[in-house]
Amino acid sequence: VVSAVEEVLARKGCVIAITSEGNDDFDEKVEYVIKVPPVREELSPLIATIPLQLLSYYIAKLRGCAIDQPRNLAKSVTVE
């Protein structure tokens, strides 16, 4: 994971890391760090999903995207 982060930074990319509280490995390496509460390893993907959903919501809102009517949603999902 660290080598992938370093490669993105070498190409002048923005890195947002999601890590558990108490893990300071990425604090000096990346631009933004989102800390989530420490949980069992099996539950960590579920806990990391919450800030990712909020991040995508607010980015879409800033871009002016239609949040409640996404593009390219399958017609079978939208038709009752």
Side-chain angles (χ1 to χ4, degrees):
V1 174
V2 175
S3 62
V5 168
E6 289 172 350
E7 185 175 335
V8 171
L9 291 173
R11 296 172 188 231
K12 306 219 185 303
C14 177
V15 177
I16 302 172
I18 298 179
T19 185
S20 61
E21 293 173 353
N23 183 358
D24 300 329
D25 295 344
F26 292 105
D27 288 353
E28 299 297 322
K29 294 179 183 174
V30 300
E31 294 180 42
Y32 303 100
V33 178
I34 299 173
K35 303 264 183 169
V36 295
V39 293
R40 293 193 333 237
E41 188 174 348
E42 302 88 30
L43 297 176
S44 64
L46 295 173
I47 299 299
T49 302
I50 298 167
L52 287 173
Q53 287 287 327
L54 288 170
L55 180 66
S56 63
Y57 171 81
Y58 285 112
I59 288 174
K61 192 172 178 180
L62 284 172
R63 293 181 60 203
C65 297
I67 296 168
D68 293 328
Q69 297 177 340
R71 296 183 306 163
N72 302 325
L73 188 61
K75 194 167 194 164
S76 61
V77 175
T78 58
V79 176
E80 293 183 17

